[in-house]
Amino acid sequence: MHLFKKIAYTALLLIGGTSFGYAQKIYKGKVIDELTGEPIDYACVCTKSANKTTVTDKFGNFQLSLPTDTATLYVSFIGYTTQTIKTTKTDKRFVVVLRRGAIDLKEVQISPSLNNNSFHTLSSLDLNLRPVNSSQDLMRLVPGLFIAQHMGGGKAEQIFVRGFDADHGTDVNVSVDDMPVNMVSHIHGQGYADLHFLIPETIADFDYGKGPYYTEKGDFTTAGYLNFTTKDVLDKSVVSLEYGRFNTFRGMAILNLLDSAAKKHGENWYIAGEYNYTNGPFTFAEHYKRFNAFSKYTKQLNEKNKLTFSASAFTTTWRASGEIPERAVAANTTAVDANGNPVIIPEYSNPIGRFGTIDSAQGGKTSRFNFIAKLNTDLGNNLNLENEVYYTHYNFLLHVNTSFFAEDSLGGEQQQNQDRDMFGYNGKLSKRHYLGNVILTSTVGLGTRFDRTYGTERSDVTEQYQLIDYIEQGNINQNNTSVYVDETLQSGKWLFNAGARLDYFNFNYHDTTKNDVVVSPKFNIQYTANDQVQFYLKTGKGFHSNNGITVIGNNNFETLPAAYGADLGLNWKPIPHLYINTALWYLYLQQEFVYDDDGNIVAGGKTKRYGVDFSARYQLTDWLFADLNINLAHPRLADSAKNTGYLALAPTFTSTGGLDFKFKNGINGGLSYRYMHSRAGNNTGTLNADGYYVTDLKINYTQKRYEIGLTIENLFNTQWNEFEAEEVSQLKGETAPVDQMSFTPGTPFAAKLRVAIFF
């Protein structure tokens, strides 16, 4: 009887709470951009009288429950003028149009409705303030993420983040418009993520997260993820030309194809093209050439359905100076004897120099063609359905030689070759439930991806590219199907997020098949004390898949090794014009993969990392902005002693920052730096990878119809190494291989002028 009374009392409370929720007045709205008419997600909507705040979803929609029939709403977003809306409760959704204006950090709101994306404020600020003209610039906008080139400009960048040398993407999930960029079972490294097909002027937004805490993100989401979203609508057409040192040239055009009448009917279509050429700073000119093309068409079929088609293509060819051993640039020698003593070689009596070349046969070519179709459907009653299909055709050919004569007396190359078709589907059904002061967002997702590689090959060839022997050769078929469920509950100052995803993998190589399944649970908590302070705890399990060749051929490697992580973080606005994000974090990997330049996989064993991330954005005046990012990490093999078990090239201390300015007369730009501290060059710590400090400068004069800009890389002409790695190499005339750091020098002082026309 006592138990029955408790149940009845609880039921009455629930009924009373629900009744109170239904007694509230419901205000529904949509926030759009004045120029493009496109929805604005994460716009902040608040009312001071009831002290309530919410943010718009990705379709620009919001809903507030208030106790009165009339309300005054304040709608704001970074880079827009705040709108004050006096409205009356109605069953229809009203539209709020935001006009672009000056960037004001005072407008940034800390809201309980941020849905665990504490980095969105930082990404929006940086993209609005920082001029970018390459995919590399876009990647560097992520606080704590560093990139490096070391085999010519045509390869995917090496990624360093959160104590990871993530190779070319093994531990970072990269996507564009939710289409995967990472290549599974790539011949040059698992998760290879080449973003060179991206034209920066087409980017509307980017989203990133650190750690394995996001239910939508699957393979390679251990250190984090990065997703770029392209524009649906252009606010203007642009033609630009750039020219700079080392015979560097870039031409770009992005053009509207439909008139304003079509735009009013929800129809938009534009194209973009880009050509890049540079010799680079090397003595042996790179002759780097890249062509890019992109087109996107969107059509609002009706009030409920929006259809999007996009296509992109790029092709690149280049010659590579490659990595050279440190000893090769020592004065008057290019060789050492078996004891490491310098030896004068008559045919190389002069040093090759930091920008010299030992093997001129290195280089490559690559291409990628992408097609994406999306249909977003508003099913009514706060229920949305997203469907996406994509297809990619990809080619890759690389000639690389980092060991020179260490492996054979011919000093030949290694050839890496792969053709690929990739196609897949992403589907997501999401529903928002409003129960008084409680918001419950439920999401169910389904994805499938198929990769088919042809002519996958890693072989030894002569300098004339004649085959010596195959190292690996054969077609790889790989399938990945995933399903996930995600629930987010917001009640007052609290937000709880829980989810889980299941991934099924099928690997096939040389007619041998292997299957595996991994389940990845996530749980996150957020507490917003007020509009100045927000705490969050993120926990979750992620994974990175292994290369199909390794999965089939070697049972000593894990197929889908797990990653377990936790973040304890803070978002803080101590004063109106200062925004701070900081976090303590920990990450454990069941097995780490490391790829050398030859594409060989090395299982790093179990690893653990912990560290601190700190980011601050401060507006000093209405035209001057400061930013600072500091990232500390302690990466180690999990079973190592305190001062051993180093992880080669894993960053331990990095920092970026600078000053950005935007004057009303059109002068804008910024002075920025990036700092990488010295770190272990190998797992024993006996070799060292040098740190660097590089400063860049960008200045633009922007008017309504044109822009003139100057970009200076390495303003103070610092001598620095963009990339270093341990290599066992043997130069001509040396009697035995030498284990030493090899390096690719960083760009010296390089100025580039840009002229753009808007219409």
Side-chain angles (χ1 to χ4, degrees), residues 325-338 340-346 348 350-352 358 730-736 738 740:
E326 291 176 340
R327 64 189 184 278
V329 295
N332 297 322
T333 180
T334 58
V336 297
D337 61 21
N341 300 313
V343 175
I344 302 297
I345 307 298
Y348 293 123
N350 295 314
I352 65 170
I358 296 175
Q730 184 174 347
L731 301 174
K732 198 171 193 178
E734 290 182 330
T735 58
V738 178
Q740 192 182 53

Side-chain angles (χ1 to χ4, degrees), residues 665-669 699-703 706-710 756 758:
N665 62 4
I667 297 175
N668 63 89
I699 301 176
N700 298 313
Y701 180 64
T702 307
Q703 295 297 301
Y706 67 91
E707 181 177 78
I708 300 173
L710 174 67
F758 310 136

Side-chain angles (χ1 to χ4, degrees), residues 3 7 11 105 177 209 251 276 306 373 396 407 466 477 482 500 514 523 560 626 686 707 742 759:
L3 178 61
I7 294 173
L105 259 173
D177 289 331
N276 286 268
K306 182 177 181 179
F396 177 84
E407 296 181 5
Q466 298 298 313
N477 295 335
S482 62
K514 184 173 182 179
F523 183 68
L560 304 170
T686 55
E707 181 177 78
S742 291
F759 55 96

Side-chain angles (χ1 to χ4, degrees), residues 215 443 445 483-487 498-502 519-523:
T215 313
T443 303
V483 61
Y484 66 86
V485 178
D486 188 88
E487 297 285 348
R501 65 177 291 130
L502 182 146
V519 177
S520 307
K522 328 279 184 177
F523 183 68

Side-chain angles (χ1 to χ4, degrees), residues 162-165 170-171 212 220-224 542-544 558 561-565 585-594 604-609 636-639 647:
R162 272 210 168 178
F164 277 87
D165 168 14
T170 305
D171 291 282
F220 309 119
T221 314
T222 53
F543 69 95
H544 55 191
E558 297 283 346
Y564 301 89
W585 58 269
Y586 175 85
L587 189 62
Y588 170 87
L589 262 66
Q590 187 179 7
Q591 188 174 76
E592 182 153 337
F593 303 143
V594 178
K606 299 175 181 178
T607 61
K608 60 182 179 182
R609 293 169 171 83
R636 290 290 189 275
L637 290 168
D639 54 359
L647 299 178

Side-chain angles (χ1 to χ4, degrees), residues 131 162 178 269 274 303 361 372 428 443 532 559 596 658 716:
R162 272 210 168 178
D178 298 318
W269 186 18
E274 178 186 31
E303 189 178 345
I372 302 174
K428 182 168 70 173
T443 303
Q532 295 177 315
T559 304
D596 62 23
F716 301 112

